[in-house]
Amino acid sequence: MNKFAPLAALATVATLAFVPTAVFAETTQAVHEVTEEAAAPVQLNAGMMLYASNGYRIAPIYRVNADGNPQVILNGRLVTVPASTVSEVEGKVTTSLSKKEVASAK
């Protein structure tokens, strides 16, 4: 079994040597484009529904503060949701926080 380990390593190195760098460049470019798209800020407006990551509705956005953080009224309290947790998933404004986490936020 140990006789084949160097042969397998050599075959792997030889295979990788023949892979064109353009393939790696295209892959890197595609990953970069997807990352930029995912990192694009979400356009938030008052009245839009805010959803939890599990798809359940949390509350409509009451307003968006100057920092871009959406604020919702939940259980009679004005709660600020960090904009860093907000993204658009399937056309819905979604936070990575659960409703319970949003409710316990300050």
Side-chain angles (χ1 to χ4, degrees), residues 66-101:
D67 296 334
N69 298 323
Q71 296 179 320
V72 297
I73 297 177
L74 193 60
N75 300 331
R77 292 182 30 225
L78 183 64
V79 180
T80 302
V81 180
S84 61
T85 67
V86 177
S87 62
E88 188 171 338
V89 177
E90 297 178 6
K92 297 178 181 178
V93 178
T94 306
T95 179
S96 59
L97 304 174
S98 68
K99 187 173 184 175
K100 186 176 181 179
E101 291 170 328

Side-chain angles (χ1 to χ4, degrees), residues 24-95:
F24 291 120
E26 288 175 11
T27 304
T28 304
Q29 183 179 5
V31 169
H32 182 67
E33 289 173 1
V34 169
T35 305
E36 279 186 358
E37 183 178 316
V42 178
Q43 182 63 35
L44 301 173
N45 295 316
M48 297 175 84
M49 184 59 67
L50 180 66
Y51 291 87
S53 58
N54 60 6
Y56 291 115
R57 290 187 294 175
I58 294 178
I61 297 173
Y62 177 68
R63 66 180 175 204
V64 180
N65 67 15
D67 296 334
N69 298 323
Q71 296 179 320
V72 297
I73 297 177
L74 193 60
N75 300 331
R77 292 182 30 225
L78 183 64
V79 180
T80 302
V81 180
S84 61
T85 67
V86 177
S87 62
E88 188 171 338
V89 177
E90 297 178 6
K92 297 178 181 178
V93 178
T94 306
T95 179

Side-chain angles (χ1 to χ4, degrees), residues 16-27:
L16 291 176
F18 291 113
V19 175
T21 57
V23 172
F24 291 120
E26 288 175 11
T27 304

